[in-house]
Amino acid sequence: MEAGVRRLSEPLVYWRIALVGTLCVLAALCWWWTVDRMSGMDMGPGTNPGTFGFFITTWVVMMAAMMFPSIAPMVLMYASMDRTRRAATPIFVAGYLLVWGAAGLLGFAVLKLGASVAGGFFAWDHAGRWTAAAVLAAAAVYEFTPAKYACLRRCRSPLGFIVSSWREGRVGALEMGALHGAWCIGCCWALMAALFALGAMSIAWMAVVAALIAVEKLLPWRAFAVGGVAVILGVLAIGVAASPAKVPGLTVPTGMSSMSKPMDSMSEPKPMTQPMPKQAPKPMDSMSSGSGMSP
């Protein structure tokens, strides 16, 4: 009897390992593509998102890189509910990415509208530094709100989500993936805002935020994970407000370079950067004519 159960369970175990491995490989490929595409583009907080086509393709691949490891339990639970519907699993994942792509469109519109309306108000050496610190502080506070709790509870309970939201067919798979993506956005939007506050084109901060998302969704101790993430965001908010140049990994925009210099170095006399203009030598005939000497 035990041998028969083992023979039946082994293919299922291998299939689950293959599914999780596929998600991890896809995430690794997306990380590689993102690193190659965004290399050298980190200008710190307020980095220009670029053209619409560049931003939306980069955003979707970023979401796949950052989220695939975290949603692996949910995808595995969906595919395990009925092995005859495993062909719909990619559609479930596509629905998830579709909603995150729509969130990227909204973020792009907000960034472009803010830049056109506010002009240079949000430049780093004006309100940009304090705006970045405020966004990080707000993300820390959001960790303790009822909305965060409700969304995270659904993300951390794959079985509860699948049972309460089950829909038949491929259209149903797309709808379920989109619904899970919506709950995930409700859970992670503040962390994504924190990513933009630290540098949207920074691979290092992208990895940090992805790790924080995985900690919240995968660690068994929910309260400990949420509290730890809130503390990290709060410390970053204080660091950006008090001394951004000392925050590890933060690229301070060039507008801050003069502000970050020590006061004693700013008070030292500066050498003249331009030499005094030299007088051109007078022609010989003008010198002889003005001297009163005859040849």
Side-chain angles (χ1 to χ4, degrees), residues 111-191:
L111 289 174
K112 289 298 186 181
L113 182 62
S116 62
V117 172
F121 178 76
F122 290 109
W124 183 255
D125 51 355
H126 290 87
R129 173 180 175 180
W130 310 109
T131 302
V135 169
L136 290 166
V141 172
Y142 182 71
E143 293 292 314
F144 301 107
T145 61
K148 172 74 177 190
Y149 175 79
C151 296
L152 183 59
R153 181 169 59 86
R154 288 167 174 81
C155 291
R156 288 175 59 89
S157 178
L159 180 59
F161 172 80
I162 296 296
V163 171
S164 63
S165 307
W166 184 261
R167 291 167 173 80
E168 294 288 342
R170 297 189 176 186
V171 175
L174 187 67
E175 292 176 353
M176 290 181 67
L179 181 59
H180 177 53
W183 285 118
C184 189
I185 290 172
C187 176
C188 302
W189 71 267
L191 285 169

Side-chain angles (χ1 to χ4, degrees), residues 47-255:
T47 302
N48 191 317
T51 63
F52 172 77
F54 172 84
F55 176 83
I56 196 62
T57 54
T58 304
W59 172 263
V60 172
V61 177
M62 278 176 59
M63 292 305 100
M66 296 174 69
M67 298 298 188
F68 274 7
S70 299
I71 67 169
M74 183 68 72
V75 176
L76 191 60
M77 181 60 67
Y78 172 82
S80 300
M81 291 299 291
D82 191 341
R83 284 180 286 176
T84 63
R85 295 184 174 87
R86 287 177 185 171
T89 302
I91 301 176
F92 178 88
V93 176
Y96 178 86
L97 289 177
L98 185 64
V99 171
W100 269 109
L105 292 177
L106 179 61
F108 182 84
V110 170
L111 289 174
K112 289 298 186 181
L113 182 62
S116 62
V117 172
F121 178 76
F122 290 109
W124 183 255
D125 51 355
H126 290 87
R129 173 180 175 180
W130 310 109
T131 302
V135 169
L136 290 166
V141 172
Y142 182 71
E143 293 292 314
F144 301 107
T145 61
K148 172 74 177 190
Y149 175 79
C151 296
L152 183 59
R153 181 169 59 86
R154 288 167 174 81
C155 291
R156 288 175 59 89
S157 178
L159 180 59
F161 172 80
I162 296 296
V163 171
S164 63
S165 307
W166 184 261
R167 291 167 173 80
E168 294 288 342
R170 297 189 176 186
V171 175
L174 187 67
E175 292 176 353
M176 290 181 67
L179 181 59
H180 177 53
W183 285 118
C184 189
I185 290 172
C187 176
C188 302
W189 71 267
L191 285 169
M192 290 301 168
L195 174 60
F196 278 89
L198 294 166
M201 297 297 175
S202 170
I203 298 298
W205 288 117
M206 178 180 159
V208 169
V209 171
L212 294 180
I213 292 172
V215 163
E216 286 191 339
K217 290 187 176 184
L218 301 179
L219 280 188
W221 314 286
R222 189 196 67 82
F224 173 79
V226 170
V229 170
V231 168
I232 292 172
L233 292 171
V235 170
L236 286 173
I238 295 172
V240 170
S243 183
K246 294 182 179 180
V247 176
L250 181 67
T251 300
V252 179
T254 54

Side-chain angles (χ1 to χ4, degrees), residues 234-285:
V235 170
L236 286 173
I238 295 172
V240 170
S243 183
K246 294 182 179 180
V247 176
L250 181 67
T251 300
V252 179
T254 54
M256 186 63 186
S257 58
S258 60
M259 297 176 64
S260 61
K261 294 180 182 179
M263 293 301 294
D264 54 351
S265 65
M266 295 179 67
S267 60
E268 294 177 357
K270 298 179 181 180
M272 299 182 64
T273 56
Q274 294 182 350
M276 293 292 293
K278 297 180 179 180
Q279 283 188 325
K282 295 182 180 181
M284 292 299 296
D285 54 350

